[in-house]
Amino acid sequence: MSPRPRRRSRGGGRRSRRDITRPLPAGPPDDDAAHGANRPGSARARVAEEPLLYTAEQAAALLQVRPSWLRRKAAARAVPCRFVGKHLRFSRADIETIAEGDTP
Protein backbone atom coordinates (compact mmCIF):
# COMPACT_ATOMS: atom_id res chain seq x y z
CA MET A 1 0.00 0.00 0.00
CA SER A 2 1.20 3.47 -0.78
CA PRO A 3 0.89 6.26 1.81
CA ARG A 4 -2.08 8.59 1.50
CA PRO A 5 -1.34 11.97 -0.03
CA ARG A 6 -1.50 14.87 2.38
CA ARG A 7 -4.55 17.05 2.14
CA ARG A 8 -4.04 20.75 1.88
CA SER A 9 -5.95 22.86 4.33
CA ARG A 10 -8.31 25.52 3.08
CA GLY A 11 -6.75 28.70 4.37
CA GLY A 12 -6.18 27.65 7.96
CA GLY A 13 -2.70 26.31 7.40
CA ARG A 14 0.72 27.88 7.09
CA ARG A 15 1.23 31.05 5.17
CA SER A 16 4.10 31.53 2.82
CA ARG A 17 6.82 34.03 3.62
CA ARG A 18 5.60 36.18 0.75
CA ASP A 19 2.13 36.42 2.34
CA ILE A 20 3.53 37.32 5.76
CA THR A 21 5.83 40.10 4.57
CA ARG A 22 3.38 41.68 2.15
CA PRO A 23 2.05 45.00 3.52
CA LEU A 24 -1.67 45.46 3.95
CA PRO A 25 -3.34 47.62 1.32
CA ALA A 26 -4.04 51.17 2.41
CA GLY A 27 -7.72 51.90 2.90
CA PRO A 28 -9.48 55.20 2.32
CA PRO A 29 -8.35 57.97 4.67
CA ASP A 30 -10.44 58.50 7.76
CA ASP A 31 -11.48 62.16 7.67
CA ASP A 32 -12.28 62.32 11.40
CA ALA A 33 -8.91 60.94 12.44
CA ALA A 34 -7.08 63.17 9.94
CA HIS A 35 -8.68 66.29 11.38
CA GLY A 36 -8.28 65.33 15.04
CA ALA A 37 -12.01 65.07 15.80
CA ASN A 38 -11.41 62.59 18.63
CA ARG A 39 -8.74 64.60 20.43
CA PRO A 40 -9.30 64.98 24.16
CA GLY A 41 -11.34 68.08 24.82
CA SER A 42 -13.19 68.06 21.50
CA ALA A 43 -16.97 67.77 21.50
CA ARG A 44 -16.88 64.38 19.79
CA ALA A 45 -14.37 63.02 22.33
CA ARG A 46 -16.60 64.13 25.23
CA VAL A 47 -19.56 62.35 23.67
CA ALA A 48 -17.52 59.16 23.31
CA GLU A 49 -16.32 59.33 26.94
CA GLU A 50 -19.59 60.22 28.66
CA PRO A 51 -22.70 58.12 28.00
CA LEU A 52 -26.03 59.80 27.39
CA LEU A 53 -27.73 57.66 30.05
CA TYR A 54 -26.19 55.65 32.88
CA THR A 55 -27.21 52.25 34.20
CA ALA A 56 -27.96 51.84 37.91
CA GLU A 57 -24.50 50.33 38.42
CA GLN A 58 -22.74 53.18 36.64
CA ALA A 59 -24.77 55.85 38.46
CA ALA A 60 -24.22 54.12 41.80
CA ALA A 61 -20.46 54.07 41.20
CA LEU A 62 -20.50 57.81 40.49
CA LEU A 63 -22.62 58.49 43.59
CA GLN A 64 -20.64 56.02 45.72
CA VAL A 65 -23.74 54.16 46.86
CA ARG A 66 -24.88 50.60 46.41
CA PRO A 67 -26.77 49.82 43.16
CA SER A 68 -29.51 48.10 45.20
CA TRP A 69 -30.11 51.30 47.21
CA LEU A 70 -30.35 53.35 44.03
CA ARG A 71 -32.74 50.86 42.37
CA ARG A 72 -34.94 50.76 45.48
CA LYS A 73 -35.15 54.58 45.62
CA ALA A 74 -35.87 54.76 41.88
CA ALA A 75 -38.65 52.17 42.16
CA ALA A 76 -40.22 54.23 44.95
CA ARG A 77 -39.75 57.36 42.77
CA ALA A 78 -37.74 58.93 45.59
CA VAL A 79 -34.95 59.91 43.17
CA PRO A 80 -35.19 61.21 39.59
CA CYS A 81 -34.74 58.51 36.96
CA ARG A 82 -35.90 57.44 33.52
CA PHE A 83 -37.17 54.20 32.10
CA VAL A 84 -36.18 53.23 28.58
CA GLY A 85 -38.77 50.57 27.98
CA LYS A 86 -38.38 48.51 31.12
CA HIS A 87 -34.73 49.47 31.65
CA LEU A 88 -33.86 51.89 34.45
CA ARG A 89 -31.49 54.68 33.41
CA PHE A 90 -30.16 57.91 34.91
CA SER A 91 -29.14 61.07 33.07
CA ARG A 92 -26.23 63.20 34.19
CA ALA A 93 -28.72 65.78 35.48
CA ASP A 94 -30.51 63.06 37.49
CA ILE A 95 -27.21 62.01 39.07
CA GLU A 96 -26.31 65.61 39.93
CA THR A 97 -29.75 66.17 41.50
CA ILE A 98 -29.37 63.04 43.63
CA ALA A 99 -25.86 64.12 44.68
CA GLU A 100 -27.10 67.56 45.72
CA GLY A 101 -29.83 66.01 47.83
CA ASP A 102 -32.63 67.94 46.13
CA THR A 103 -34.89 64.89 45.93
CA PRO A 104 -38.45 64.93 47.33
Side-chain angles (χ1 to χ4, degrees), residues 64-102:
Q64 298 179 351
V65 298
R66 291 185 178 183
S68 59
W69 178 88
L70 191 58
R71 279 192 222 98
R72 190 172 50 249
K73 293 292 186 179
R77 303 295 192 265
V79 295
C81 64
R82 298 166 187 343
F83 283 92
V84 180
K86 63 179 183 175
H87 303 283
L88 176 65
R89 296 292 184 261
F90 298 88
S91 69
R92 189 69 180 176
D94 294 339
I95 294 170
E96 289 171 2
T97 303
I98 296 167
E100 292 168 0
D102 295 338

Short mmCIF file of all heavy atoms in Angstrom, two decimals, residues 64-102:
data_model
loop_
_atom_site.label_atom_id
_atom_site.label_comp_id
_atom_site.label_asym_id
_atom_site.label_seq_id
_atom_site.Cartn_x
_atom_site.Cartn_y
_atom_site.Cartn_z
N GLN A 64 -21.26 56.79 44.64
CA GLN A 64 -20.64 56.02 45.72
C GLN A 64 -21.68 55.47 46.68
O GLN A 64 -21.58 55.59 47.90
CB GLN A 64 -19.61 56.88 46.46
CG GLN A 64 -18.47 57.32 45.57
CD GLN A 64 -17.47 58.19 46.29
OE1 GLN A 64 -17.68 58.63 47.42
NE2 GLN A 64 -16.36 58.46 45.64
N VAL A 65 -22.71 54.87 46.10
CA VAL A 65 -23.74 54.16 46.86
C VAL A 65 -23.91 52.78 46.25
O VAL A 65 -23.39 52.50 45.17
CB VAL A 65 -25.10 54.92 46.85
CG1 VAL A 65 -24.96 56.28 47.50
CG2 VAL A 65 -25.64 55.06 45.44
N ARG A 66 -24.63 51.94 46.94
CA ARG A 66 -24.88 50.60 46.41
C ARG A 66 -25.94 50.66 45.31
O ARG A 66 -26.91 51.41 45.42
CB ARG A 66 -25.36 49.67 47.51
CG ARG A 66 -24.29 49.36 48.50
CD ARG A 66 -24.78 48.36 49.50
NE ARG A 66 -23.70 48.05 50.43
CZ ARG A 66 -23.81 47.17 51.38
NH1 ARG A 66 -24.92 46.52 51.57
NH2 ARG A 66 -22.79 46.93 52.16
N PRO A 67 -25.76 49.85 44.24
CA PRO A 67 -26.77 49.82 43.16
C PRO A 67 -28.15 49.42 43.67
O PRO A 67 -29.17 49.94 43.19
CB PRO A 67 -26.22 48.80 42.17
CG PRO A 67 -24.76 48.75 42.42
CD PRO A 67 -24.59 49.05 43.89
N SER A 68 -28.21 48.52 44.66
CA SER A 68 -29.51 48.10 45.20
C SER A 68 -30.24 49.26 45.87
O SER A 68 -31.46 49.39 45.74
CB SER A 68 -29.33 46.94 46.18
OG SER A 68 -28.50 47.33 47.26
N TRP A 69 -29.50 50.13 46.57
CA TRP A 69 -30.11 51.30 47.21
C TRP A 69 -30.69 52.24 46.15
O TRP A 69 -31.81 52.72 46.27
CB TRP A 69 -29.06 52.06 48.03
CG TRP A 69 -29.60 53.30 48.68
CD1 TRP A 69 -30.20 53.39 49.89
CD2 TRP A 69 -29.59 54.62 48.14
NE1 TRP A 69 -30.57 54.69 50.14
CE2 TRP A 69 -30.21 55.48 49.08
CE3 TRP A 69 -29.11 55.18 46.95
CZ2 TRP A 69 -30.36 56.84 48.86
CZ3 TRP A 69 -29.26 56.54 46.74
CH2 TRP A 69 -29.89 57.35 47.69
N LEU A 70 -29.92 52.45 45.10
CA LEU A 70 -30.35 53.35 44.03
C LEU A 70 -31.58 52.78 43.31
O LEU A 70 -32.52 53.52 43.03
CB LEU A 70 -29.20 53.59 43.06
CG LEU A 70 -29.38 54.70 42.04
CD1 LEU A 70 -29.64 56.03 42.73
CD2 LEU A 70 -28.16 54.79 41.14
N ARG A 71 -31.58 51.49 43.02
CA ARG A 71 -32.74 50.86 42.37
C ARG A 71 -33.98 50.93 43.26
O ARG A 71 -35.08 51.19 42.77
CB ARG A 71 -32.44 49.40 42.03
CG ARG A 71 -31.66 49.23 40.77
CD ARG A 71 -31.66 47.78 40.33
NE ARG A 71 -30.32 47.44 39.88
CZ ARG A 71 -29.41 46.84 40.60
NH1 ARG A 71 -29.67 46.43 41.82
NH2 ARG A 71 -28.22 46.61 40.11
N ARG A 72 -33.81 50.71 44.55
CA ARG A 72 -34.94 50.76 45.48
C ARG A 72 -35.53 52.17 45.53
O ARG A 72 -36.75 52.36 45.49
CB ARG A 72 -34.50 50.29 46.86
CG ARG A 72 -35.63 50.08 47.84
CD ARG A 72 -35.19 49.43 49.15
NE ARG A 72 -34.03 50.07 49.77
CZ ARG A 72 -32.82 49.51 49.86
NH1 ARG A 72 -32.61 48.31 49.38
NH2 ARG A 72 -31.84 50.15 50.44
N LYS A 73 -34.68 53.19 45.60
CA LYS A 73 -35.15 54.58 45.62
C LYS A 73 -35.81 54.95 44.29
O LYS A 73 -36.81 55.67 44.28
CB LYS A 73 -33.98 55.54 45.89
CG LYS A 73 -33.39 55.41 47.27
CD LYS A 73 -34.37 55.89 48.31
CE LYS A 73 -33.73 55.89 49.69
NZ LYS A 73 -34.64 56.36 50.72
N ALA A 74 -35.28 54.46 43.19
CA ALA A 74 -35.87 54.76 41.88
C ALA A 74 -37.22 54.09 41.74
O ALA A 74 -38.16 54.68 41.19
CB ALA A 74 -34.93 54.31 40.77
N ALA A 75 -37.37 52.87 42.23
CA ALA A 75 -38.65 52.17 42.16
C ALA A 75 -39.71 52.88 42.98
O ALA A 75 -40.89 52.91 42.61
CB ALA A 75 -38.48 50.72 42.63
N ALA A 76 -39.29 53.48 44.10
CA ALA A 76 -40.22 54.23 44.95
C ALA A 76 -40.40 55.66 44.44
O ALA A 76 -41.14 56.44 45.06
CB ALA A 76 -39.70 54.25 46.38
N ARG A 77 -39.73 56.01 43.35
CA ARG A 77 -39.75 57.36 42.77
C ARG A 77 -39.25 58.41 43.76
O ARG A 77 -39.67 59.55 43.73
CB ARG A 77 -41.14 57.74 42.25
CG ARG A 77 -41.75 56.81 41.23
CD ARG A 77 -40.93 56.82 39.95
NE ARG A 77 -41.63 56.17 38.83
CZ ARG A 77 -41.46 54.90 38.49
NH1 ARG A 77 -40.65 54.13 39.19
NH2 ARG A 77 -42.08 54.40 37.44
N ALA A 78 -38.32 58.01 44.62
CA ALA A 78 -37.74 58.93 45.59
C ALA A 78 -36.55 59.69 45.00
O ALA A 78 -36.10 60.67 45.58
CB ALA A 78 -37.28 58.16 46.83
N VAL A 79 -36.03 59.22 43.87
CA VAL A 79 -34.95 59.91 43.17
C VAL A 79 -35.34 60.03 41.70
O VAL A 79 -36.09 59.20 41.18
CB VAL A 79 -33.60 59.15 43.31
CG1 VAL A 79 -33.13 59.13 44.75
CG2 VAL A 79 -33.68 57.76 42.75
N PRO A 80 -34.86 61.07 41.01
CA PRO A 80 -35.19 61.21 39.59
C PRO A 80 -34.51 60.12 38.76
O PRO A 80 -33.34 59.77 39.00
CB PRO A 80 -34.66 62.59 39.22
CG PRO A 80 -33.66 62.93 40.27
CD PRO A 80 -34.06 62.19 41.50
N CYS A 81 -35.26 59.56 37.83
CA CYS A 81 -34.74 58.51 36.96
C CYS A 81 -35.57 58.47 35.69
O CYS A 81 -36.57 59.17 35.56
CB CYS A 81 -34.75 57.16 37.66
SG CYS A 81 -36.41 56.60 38.08
N ARG A 82 -35.17 57.63 34.77
CA ARG A 82 -35.90 57.44 33.52
C ARG A 82 -36.00 55.95 33.25
O ARG A 82 -35.15 55.18 33.66
CB ARG A 82 -35.15 58.08 32.35
CG ARG A 82 -34.99 59.57 32.48
CD ARG A 82 -34.00 60.12 31.53
NE ARG A 82 -33.61 61.50 31.62
CZ ARG A 82 -34.18 62.50 32.23
NH1 ARG A 82 -35.25 62.32 32.89
NH2 ARG A 82 -33.69 63.70 32.23
N PHE A 83 -37.04 55.58 32.55
CA PHE A 83 -37.17 54.20 32.10
C PHE A 83 -37.15 54.20 30.58
O PHE A 83 -37.92 54.91 29.93
CB PHE A 83 -38.47 53.57 32.62
CG PHE A 83 -38.39 53.17 34.06
CD1 PHE A 83 -38.79 54.05 35.06
CD2 PHE A 83 -37.89 51.94 34.42
CE1 PHE A 83 -38.70 53.69 36.38
CE2 PHE A 83 -37.79 51.57 35.75
CZ PHE A 83 -38.20 52.45 36.73
N VAL A 84 -36.25 53.44 30.02
CA VAL A 84 -36.18 53.23 28.58
C VAL A 84 -36.78 51.85 28.36
O VAL A 84 -36.10 50.84 28.57
CB VAL A 84 -34.73 53.32 28.06
CG1 VAL A 84 -34.70 53.09 26.56
CG2 VAL A 84 -34.11 54.64 28.43
N GLY A 85 -38.06 51.84 27.99
CA GLY A 85 -38.77 50.57 27.98
C GLY A 85 -38.90 50.12 29.42
O GLY A 85 -39.44 50.84 30.26
N LYS A 86 -38.36 48.97 29.74
CA LYS A 86 -38.38 48.51 31.12
C LYS A 86 -37.02 48.69 31.82
O LYS A 86 -36.84 48.28 32.95
CB LYS A 86 -38.80 47.04 31.18
CG LYS A 86 -37.83 46.11 30.48
CD LYS A 86 -38.29 44.68 30.61
CE LYS A 86 -37.28 43.74 29.97
NZ LYS A 86 -37.61 42.36 30.16
N HIS A 87 -36.09 49.32 31.13
CA HIS A 87 -34.73 49.47 31.65
C HIS A 87 -34.58 50.79 32.40
O HIS A 87 -34.88 51.86 31.87
CB HIS A 87 -33.71 49.39 30.52
CG HIS A 87 -33.80 48.12 29.74
ND1 HIS A 87 -33.30 46.94 30.21
CD2 HIS A 87 -34.36 47.86 28.55
CE1 HIS A 87 -33.54 45.99 29.32
NE2 HIS A 87 -34.19 46.53 28.31
N LEU A 88 -34.08 50.72 33.60
CA LEU A 88 -33.86 51.89 34.45
C LEU A 88 -32.58 52.59 34.04
O LEU A 88 -31.52 51.96 33.93
CB LEU A 88 -33.76 51.45 35.91
CG LEU A 88 -33.44 52.51 36.95
CD1 LEU A 88 -34.58 53.53 37.03
CD2 LEU A 88 -33.22 51.85 38.30
N ARG A 89 -32.66 53.89 33.79
CA ARG A 89 -31.49 54.68 33.41
C ARG A 89 -31.51 56.02 34.13
O ARG A 89 -32.55 56.49 34.57
CB ARG A 89 -31.46 54.93 31.89
CG ARG A 89 -31.32 53.68 31.05
CD ARG A 89 -29.95 53.04 31.24
NE ARG A 89 -29.76 51.90 30.38
CZ ARG A 89 -29.91 50.65 30.76
NH1 ARG A 89 -30.30 50.38 31.98
NH2 ARG A 89 -29.69 49.66 29.93
N PHE A 90 -30.33 56.62 34.25
CA PHE A 90 -30.16 57.91 34.91
C PHE A 90 -29.39 58.84 33.98
O PHE A 90 -28.37 58.45 33.42
CB PHE A 90 -29.38 57.74 36.22
CG PHE A 90 -30.07 56.87 37.22
CD1 PHE A 90 -29.88 55.51 37.23
CD2 PHE A 90 -30.92 57.43 38.17
CE1 PHE A 90 -30.52 54.70 38.15
CE2 PHE A 90 -31.56 56.63 39.09
CZ PHE A 90 -31.37 55.26 39.08
N SER A 91 -29.88 60.08 33.84
CA SER A 91 -29.14 61.07 33.07
C SER A 91 -28.12 61.73 33.98
O SER A 91 -28.15 61.57 35.21
CB SER A 91 -30.09 62.13 32.50
OG SER A 91 -30.61 62.92 33.55
N ARG A 92 -27.23 62.49 33.39
CA ARG A 92 -26.23 63.20 34.19
C ARG A 92 -26.91 64.20 35.13
O ARG A 92 -26.51 64.36 36.28
CB ARG A 92 -25.25 63.93 33.25
CG ARG A 92 -24.08 64.52 33.94
CD ARG A 92 -23.18 63.43 34.45
NE ARG A 92 -22.03 64.01 35.13
CZ ARG A 92 -21.12 63.30 35.75
NH1 ARG A 92 -21.20 62.00 35.75
NH2 ARG A 92 -20.12 63.87 36.34
N ALA A 93 -27.98 64.84 34.64
CA ALA A 93 -28.72 65.78 35.48
C ALA A 93 -29.39 65.06 36.65
O ALA A 93 -29.43 65.59 37.77
CB ALA A 93 -29.78 66.51 34.65
N ASP A 94 -29.92 63.85 36.40
CA ASP A 94 -30.51 63.06 37.49
C ASP A 94 -29.46 62.76 38.57
O ASP A 94 -29.73 62.90 39.77
CB ASP A 94 -31.07 61.73 36.96
CG ASP A 94 -32.25 61.91 36.03
OD1 ASP A 94 -32.91 62.97 36.08
OD2 ASP A 94 -32.52 60.97 35.25
N ILE A 95 -28.28 62.36 38.13
CA ILE A 95 -27.21 62.01 39.07
C ILE A 95 -26.79 63.24 39.88
O ILE A 95 -26.59 63.16 41.09
CB ILE A 95 -26.03 61.39 38.31
CG1 ILE A 95 -26.46 60.05 37.70
CG2 ILE A 95 -24.83 61.20 39.22
CD1 ILE A 95 -25.48 59.45 36.73
N GLU A 96 -26.69 64.39 39.21
CA GLU A 96 -26.31 65.61 39.93
C GLU A 96 -27.39 66.02 40.94
O GLU A 96 -27.07 66.47 42.03
CB GLU A 96 -26.05 66.73 38.92
CG GLU A 96 -24.78 66.50 38.12
CD GLU A 96 -24.60 67.48 36.98
OE1 GLU A 96 -25.46 68.38 36.81
OE2 GLU A 96 -23.61 67.34 36.25
N THR A 97 -28.67 65.85 40.58
CA THR A 97 -29.75 66.17 41.50
C THR A 97 -29.71 65.27 42.73
O THR A 97 -29.91 65.72 43.87
CB THR A 97 -31.12 66.03 40.80
OG1 THR A 97 -31.12 66.88 39.65
CG2 THR A 97 -32.26 66.40 41.71
N ILE A 98 -29.46 63.99 42.51
CA ILE A 98 -29.37 63.04 43.63
C ILE A 98 -28.19 63.41 44.52
O ILE A 98 -28.29 63.40 45.75
CB ILE A 98 -29.23 61.59 43.10
CG1 ILE A 98 -30.49 61.17 42.34
CG2 ILE A 98 -28.95 60.62 44.25
CD1 ILE A 98 -30.31 59.89 41.53
N ALA A 99 -27.06 63.78 43.91
CA ALA A 99 -25.86 64.12 44.68
C ALA A 99 -26.06 65.38 45.51
O ALA A 99 -25.54 65.49 46.62
CB ALA A 99 -24.67 64.30 43.74
N GLU A 100 -26.84 66.32 44.99
CA GLU A 100 -27.10 67.56 45.72
C GLU A 100 -28.10 67.38 46.84
O GLU A 100 -28.22 68.21 47.72
CB GLU A 100 -27.59 68.64 44.76
CG GLU A 100 -26.53 69.11 43.78
CD GLU A 100 -27.10 69.96 42.67
OE1 GLU A 100 -28.32 70.20 42.65
OE2 GLU A 100 -26.32 70.39 41.82
N GLY A 101 -28.85 66.28 46.79
CA GLY A 101 -29.83 66.01 47.83
C GLY A 101 -31.14 66.73 47.63
O GLY A 101 -31.91 66.88 48.59
N ASP A 102 -31.41 67.20 46.42
CA ASP A 102 -32.63 67.94 46.13
C ASP A 102 -33.77 67.02 45.72
O ASP A 102 -34.60 67.37 44.89
CB ASP A 102 -32.40 68.95 45.00
CG ASP A 102 -31.42 70.02 45.41
OD1 ASP A 102 -31.24 70.23 46.61
OD2 ASP A 102 -30.83 70.66 44.51
#
